[in-house]
Amino acid sequence: MDLDGKVRLLADSARFDLCGSCFGQPSRKSNPQGGWIYPVSLPDGRVVKVLKILLSNDCVHDCFYCANRAGSPFRRTSLKAEELVALFLRLWQKGLVKGLFLSSAVSRDPTWTMNEMLKTVEMLRKKFHFRGYIHLKILPEATRDYIEEAVRLATRVSVNLEAPSPHYLSAIAPQKSFSRIMGLFSLLSDLRRKGLCAPAGITTQFVVGGSTEKDREILGTAFLLYRKFCLARVYYSAFQPVWGTPFSGRPAVSSWREVRLYQVDYLLRRYQFSLDEIYFSEDGNLPLDQDPKTLWALRHPEFFPVEVNKASLGDLLKVPGIGPLSARRIVEARKKGKIADISSLKKMGIRVKKALPFLLIDGKKPCDSGRKQLFLFC
Ligand code: SF4
């Protein structure tokens, strides 16, 4: 296979890994070399274009959901570190990408694969002085030396946990060890405490609906990871059957399940909600027909209406249609005077259609005519 063919295949094989992508399914674009370029959100809010690629799609493991598993009928290939570096530099020098997302199947053995991935990153950093964004996947079997080197060189690292408990993980990826991966998170957070860490932190990913796990269990484990190991982000990837895998006959999981998990993830990380406040259906999953914040509001009439001119930041964050940025804008605006009408709320970015049923403005219940009179009270 020529180099362009290898790049096309390995970039396509990387599409199942969502770690580091923008919310939900990333909008990827192809590049002239046949690879894929993805937008990635950085912790400082910037979005940069990265080349997302695998070093190899030739895996010795047999995860039941994965296209790259041993024995699947897809074409196999690997790149050498030198080839990957040359490809990346070409794209970077043309201004097509600003960063690299490098992952890999476990090819030959974990030591060989990790070694080649680190060689790639080391060449970029030390020989070609590339200072931009590099997201590097760490294989669960990596030794401590490799892990230390990875966090020294990469901007962000990730280890995919895939499932919320040992039981669920063994049902979808029998060769992966839940305790080993948790041990890796523990080591990464120890290194972080000692000042040795990738600046954009650690991320992970769950395959949602790969087994019979419930949303409550996924979110419970996700928030243990946030709390205990200070993960920067958890990504949720709705299971999609892949032809040629043992799970090819299973139904795809609704992307709405993924969306609801992300919404709760945001509520817990950025809206001061706790997991106890999240409403789950009796089966332990999030209802798909209503967003979790509106559901909480509808189930807590005693909390509303909230007075925009007096409510704390935490209370404003509980109102549907008000996000962290617009809540802060309300608090700032109040320092200059009363908020008197709906048009002021609109200017602050509040989704008034959602928020108005839960608000008072200066003691009165507002209603939006939706046309010219934006400051009616009813
Ligand atoms: S370790 Fe499992 S998930 Fe990763 S590439 Fe191999 S088979 Fe796929």
Side-chain angles (χ1 to χ4, degrees):
M1 197 184 300
D2 66 9
L3 185 60
D4 281 357
K6 284 186 186 186
V7 170
R8 207 166 285 121
L9 191 56
L10 291 167
D12 200 49
S13 300
R15 73 186 187 280
F16 299 104
D17 198 323
L18 292 189
C19 267
S21 11
C22 287
F23 177 76
Q25 289 292 339
S27 50
R28 61 181 192 168
K29 288 198 171 77
S30 66
N31 69 63
Q33 272 69 35
W36 290 104
I37 297 172
Y38 288 76
V40 163
S41 308
L42 301 186
D44 63 8
R46 279 180 307 138
V47 174
V48 294
K49 288 183 283 181
V50 302
L51 170 69
K52 187 171 180 181
I53 195 161
L54 299 186
L55 180 97
S56 170
N57 68 350
D58 190 6
C59 201
V60 295
H61 286 180
D62 184 16
C63 304
F64 296 151
Y65 54 88
C66 178
N68 304 319
R69 59 183 277 276
S72 85
F74 295 101
R75 292 183 80 187
R76 306 303 175 140
T77 193
S78 303
L79 285 172
K80 293 192 194 99
E82 293 76 11
E83 292 175 314
L84 248 175
V85 167
L87 165 74
F88 177 76
L89 289 175
R90 261 203 318 274
L91 296 172
W92 179 50
Q93 280 155 1
K94 284 181 184 163
L96 293 169
V97 293
K98 293 254 188 274
L100 173 68
F101 180 115
L102 180 57
S103 183
S104 185
V106 184
S107 181
R108 301 191 205 178
D109 66 69
T111 308
W112 181 86
T113 310
M114 215 48 237
N115 200 36
E116 282 299 297
M117 286 204 286
L118 282 169
K119 213 161 108 187
T120 306
V121 179
E122 194 171 5
M123 266 199 268
L124 285 174
R125 289 290 196 229
K126 295 187 179 163
K127 190 167 170 196
F128 296 100
H129 309 290
F130 174 68
R131 297 275 165 265
Y133 180 83
I134 297 181
H135 182 141
L136 183 62
K137 183 72 58 184
I138 295 180
L139 303 183
E141 300 87 346
T143 59
R144 185 180 177 120
D145 288 355
Y146 283 152
I147 293 164
E148 288 190 6
E149 191 62 357
V151 295
R152 246 185 233 116
L153 293 170
T155 318
R156 170 169 272 182
V157 293
S158 58
V159 188
N160 284 357
L161 185 57
E162 317 287 19
S165 76
H167 164 73
Y168 293 124
L169 185 61
S170 65
I172 62 171
Q175 283 138 325
K176 288 191 176 173
S177 158
F178 190 86
S179 59
R180 180 168 203 137
I181 300 172
M182 292 301 266
L184 200 47
F185 288 130
S186 173
L187 171 59
L188 285 164
S189 74
D190 274 357
L191 292 174
R192 190 171 187 271
R193 270 193 291 277
K194 290 175 189 154
L196 188 55
C197 63
I202 312 158
T203 65
T204 194
Q205 174 179 298
F206 287 101
V207 180
V208 176
S211 183
T212 51
E213 81 286 349
K214 305 299 178 196
D215 293 345
R216 189 197 292 276
E217 294 168 306
I218 295 174
L219 289 165
T221 303
F223 283 87
L224 175 89
L225 296 174
Y226 281 130
R227 256 198 336 270
K228 206 165 163 195
F229 304 124
C230 297
L231 258 66
R233 283 296 306 272
V234 173
Y235 293 88
Y236 308 92
S237 174
F239 167 77
Q240 303 296 316
V242 178
W243 177 79
T245 64
F247 285 179
S248 62
R250 296 192 176 190
V253 169
S254 160
S255 55
W256 274 108
R257 188 167 170 200
E258 189 180 294
V259 169
R260 296 295 179 231
L261 285 164
Y262 276 112
Q263 286 173 329
V264 173
D265 187 289
Y266 273 84
L267 289 183
L268 296 166
R269 284 187 304 118
R270 306 198 38 207
Y271 286 72
Q272 304 179 11
F273 274 75
S274 72
L275 198 52
D276 296 339
E277 291 177 293
I278 302 301
Y279 174 73
F280 294 92
S281 306
E282 270 178 24
D283 66 0
N285 287 322
L286 295 164
L288 298 183
D289 57 348
Q290 186 73 276
D291 78 82
K293 192 177 177 190
T294 304
L295 258 181
W296 183 89
L298 293 173
R299 295 172 67 85
H300 290 84
E302 76 287 357
F303 188 84
F304 299 101
V306 161
E307 166 58 58
V308 280
N309 283 298
K310 290 189 186 148
S312 66
L313 187 79
D315 287 354
L316 288 170
L317 285 172
K318 291 275 199 274
V319 178
I322 298 184
L325 185 61
S326 45
R328 278 199 302 277
R329 283 181 183 148
I330 290 175
V331 172
E332 282 307 306
R334 288 189 321 212
K335 289 179 188 163
K336 295 178 195 144
K338 262 187 188 168
I339 295 167
D341 53 44
I342 296 168
S343 61
S344 310
L345 294 178
K346 282 189 173 170
K347 281 183 203 146
M348 286 181 242
I350 285 123
R351 292 162 67 200
V352 291
K353 204 171 160 195
K354 282 204 117 182
L356 289 192
F358 304 98
L359 288 179
L360 290 179
I361 300 181
D362 214 11
K364 297 182 192 123
K365 192 135 185 58
C367 69
D368 185 8
S369 71
R371 290 189 293 277
K372 285 183 182 159
Q373 294 165 290
L374 297 175
F375 36 83
L376 287 178
F377 292 96
C378 50

